[in-house]
Amino acid sequence: MAVDDQYVSVFKVHEFLTERPLSMDDLTDRIIVQKSIYLAHEAGINCGDYMWTWYKKGPYSPALTRVVYDNLKSDFDPSKYALRDDVKQALERLKSVIKKRKSYTQLEESDWLELLASIHYLLKKHYDKNIAIRELQVLKPKYQIGHINQAIGALEDIGFVA
């Protein structure tokens, strides 16, 4: 089976941001895929025509899930593809926030990505930091206000939010 171009983009962007191949083996892996691609999209990287809606773990794209699952068993050889330098440059700030999460928080990688993507999504929705924070606290009570402020600070550090 031939591989879909969107899958190639998703795989390579995910691999660049997380420094490991894409996996959908468990819920943690699926969260990391969804949130890393959502954030890459918000950084201006087009991995496909994905619509993002709110779901249990934050911004979610059913189309992204479909593209990934439809191509997991393809004859895809990631070594035959590479991200362009301009794409890597556009993703570098986001990658630094993901990889340096321990300088911001003690959250696990999937929780950190879920929080970053969720607060970003709500800030875009409301344009008001206080309203976005309150909604996030209702939707995701597992995150303490300290975690939320750390995520907002990280997004501000890389210019994702003002």
Side-chain angles (χ1 to χ4, degrees):
M1 173 171 93
V3 67
D4 184 291
D5 289 343
Q6 289 183 55
Y7 180 72
V8 173
S9 297
V10 167
F11 187 99
K12 296 308 285 186
V13 166
H14 174 278
E15 183 180 58
F16 179 78
L17 289 173
T18 65
E19 298 179 344
R20 65 178 176 278
L22 184 148
S23 170
M24 296 290 273
D25 290 343
D26 58 32
L27 178 60
T28 298
D29 291 334
R30 293 188 297 273
I31 291 168
I32 291 170
V33 170
Q34 284 281 333
K35 302 329 168 213
S36 64
I37 300 306
Y38 167 80
L39 291 166
H41 172 81
E42 293 301 315
I45 304 304
N46 182 2
C47 293
D49 188 22
Y50 304 120
M51 299 292 294
W52 302 94
T53 58
W54 188 265
Y55 195 59
K56 296 174 186 176
K57 297 288 184 178
Y60 174 76
S61 172
L64 173 59
T65 299
R66 203 168 24 263
V67 164
V68 172
Y69 276 117
D70 286 352
N71 287 276
L72 281 176
K73 304 286 187 213
S74 69
D75 56 1
F76 175 60
D77 179 359
S79 68
K80 293 182 179 180
Y81 301 89
L83 290 178
R84 294 187 326 255
D85 288 340
D86 63 315
V87 172
K88 289 179 186 178
Q89 185 176 2
L91 291 171
E92 199 59 56
R93 293 178 299 148
L94 176 58
K95 181 179 181 176
S96 73
V97 166
I98 294 169
K99 298 319 302 172
K100 296 179 183 176
R101 73 177 151 71
K102 290 185 178 172
S103 67
Y104 292 102
T105 185
Q106 292 303 309
L107 293 172
E108 293 298 320
E109 183 181 36
S110 63
D111 288 325
W112 180 235
L113 279 164
E114 179 184 340
L115 178 56
L116 288 169
S118 295
I119 194 61
H120 182 273
Y121 182 92
L122 294 173
L123 286 166
K124 276 184 65 176
K125 175 183 172 186
H126 294 295
Y127 299 102
D128 182 293
K129 191 182 296 188
N130 292 324
I131 294 171
I133 289 170
R134 281 195 301 273
E135 184 172 352
L136 185 65
Q137 289 175 309
V138 169
L139 293 169
K140 298 181 172 292
K142 71 179 183 177
Y143 294 117
Q144 301 166 4
I145 189 65
H147 295 139
I148 297 168
N149 286 329
Q150 290 165 336
I152 292 170
L155 292 171
E156 288 171 345
D157 288 349
I158 62 171
F160 263 49
V161 296

